[in-house]
Each structure stands twice: as C-alpha cells, then as structure tokens.
Amino acid sequence: MSVLLEQPASLVAYRPNKPTAMVVVADPRVRSTVTRHLWALGVRDVIEASSVAEARPRIGNPRDICVADVHLPDGSGLTLLSETRAAGWPNGLALSAADDIGAVRNALAGGVKGYVVTGTRTNVGLPTRPGAPSHPGGYRELSGREVEVLRLVAEGQSNKAIGVSMGLSALTVKSHLARIARKLGTGDRAGMVAVALRTGIIH
C-alpha cells in the first residue's frame, strides 16, 4: 500500500485544512491499512465501508476522495466510483489485487484519478518461474506449515500461541516467519497477512 504515499499532492493538497475521505474495501485489514495511509497524507476525517450497499447511502454527502476496491462482495468498485463522481466527489482512487490492464484503462477512462495494484506492489520479491503467473508461483514457494503459521498470524496469535497450536517452539515459529517474510518481501506481520489475503494464500 505504500504506493498511496507517492502522489499525495494530487489528492489532498488543494484542501489542506481537513481533507475528507471514504474507504470502501471488504477486507478489514486492507481497509485499515488504507485508512492509516490516508491519515499519513493528512486526511483527518475518514469513514469506512465494506460493500457497495454500505457505501451508497453516504454518496449524497460528497467528500474529497473515495478509495474503493474494484472487486467488492456485492458489486463493482468502479461503478461506485462513477456514482461518487456524478454526485460531486472530486477524486476517486481504485484498488485491485490484480494487474488487469483492461480494468486500469476502464478506470482511468471513467475519470478515476489513480489505480493502485496492491497485489503487484506487495508481491515484489515473490520467486516465480519464468513465464509463470506471479501469484501461483508465490503460492508454491510457501510450505503447508508456513501457510498454517501465516493463517494463525492473521488470527492475531502471538508466536508463543502459534507454537502451542502447532506443537512448535516459539523460536521455530520465529524461523518460519523469517522465511515467510523473505518469500513475501515484507517482514511486517500486518504486511505479510495483507499480501497473503490479497493473493489468496490464505482466506
């Protein structure tokens, strides 16, 4: 998600006092990560929604920016962004885990100000075979035990608790996490979970 920090001026500089935003992302971890990045950009009033249905009642009160996942559980984030733009929202930013050039073109043609490919961005460093899709290559690099460790991390368990659940020492769990971090390209627990959720390694 660090890509959100690369062009702050174009999104919020015109409203320096108290920019406002709405974040519409189904995954609560990804949603909170986006919100934190908006705070870092100076946005001080952020409302969150997890679906099109939850976001639509709020469209009538325009904010400075709407950040929406392209694939929401009950519809298209691009459609939602189109609706916010028609209602007077000046900025729209689309998120997607997939590097779909067609979707990018549709989003930009539809007036979306930015398109962040979260999966491609966070998967830098995932080893893949030449010519193979990046996501499946990444899946095969994690062992079954590493995936299980990652799943328990996603549940918020500590290294000690994970060790108890899996019959491992906390030191062994730490070693597994170090290997997972190398494979996913991030050593931050929240970052590892975000990558794993967005790429389908865990559900």
Side-chain angles (χ1 to χ4, degrees):
M1 292 295 181
S2 60
V3 72
L4 286 172
L5 298 174
E6 292 178 358
Q7 295 181 333
S10 63
L11 297 178
V12 298
Y14 76 98
R15 181 88 177 274
N17 292 333
K18 191 178 181 184
T20 58
M22 178 167 70
V23 176
V24 190
V25 179
D27 188 299
R29 294 178 186 87
V30 176
R31 191 168 62 244
S32 65
T33 298
V34 173
T35 296
R36 286 196 304 272
H37 281 301
L38 288 171
W39 288 339
L41 292 176
V43 178
R44 290 294 173 262
D45 183 4
V46 181
I47 56 174
E48 297 184 359
S50 61
S51 65
V52 172
E54 192 177 342
R56 273 201 175 119
R58 299 167 174 176
I59 291 177
N61 297 311
R63 291 180 161 246
D64 295 314
I65 181 170
C66 179
V67 182
D69 196 336
V70 170
H71 303 291
L72 291 165
D74 58 346
S76 167
L78 292 181
T79 299
L80 183 68
L81 289 169
S82 176
E83 292 174 14
T84 60
R85 189 172 59 258
W89 297 52
N91 294 295
L93 181 67
L95 301 180
S96 176
D99 189 2
D100 181 346
I101 190 63
V104 175
R105 285 175 178 156
N106 289 340
L108 297 178
V112 171
K113 296 292 181 70
Y115 194 104
V116 179
V117 183
T118 59
T120 300
R121 184 70 179 180
T122 51
N123 284 345
V124 173
L126 277 178
T128 58
R129 292 179 290 102
S134 61
H135 292 175
Y139 301 158
R140 283 191 290 272
E141 293 300 324
L142 291 183
S143 70
R145 178 156 285 191
E146 288 167 347
V147 171
E148 179 64 13
V149 168
L150 202 47
R151 186 181 66 78
L152 294 172
V153 168
E155 292 176 0
Q157 295 195 26
S158 66
N159 288 6
K160 184 177 180 180
I162 293 170
V164 170
S165 297
M166 298 182 65
L168 304 171
S169 70
L171 187 59
T172 300
V173 173
K174 187 175 180 181
S175 296
H176 280 307
L177 287 171
R179 285 194 293 274
I180 293 168
R182 285 195 297 272
K183 292 174 180 180
L184 298 187
T186 175
D188 176 72
R189 289 171 84 95
M192 286 190 283
V193 170
V195 173
L197 286 168
R198 299 298 292 174
T199 57
I201 294 173
I202 60 175
H203 300 281

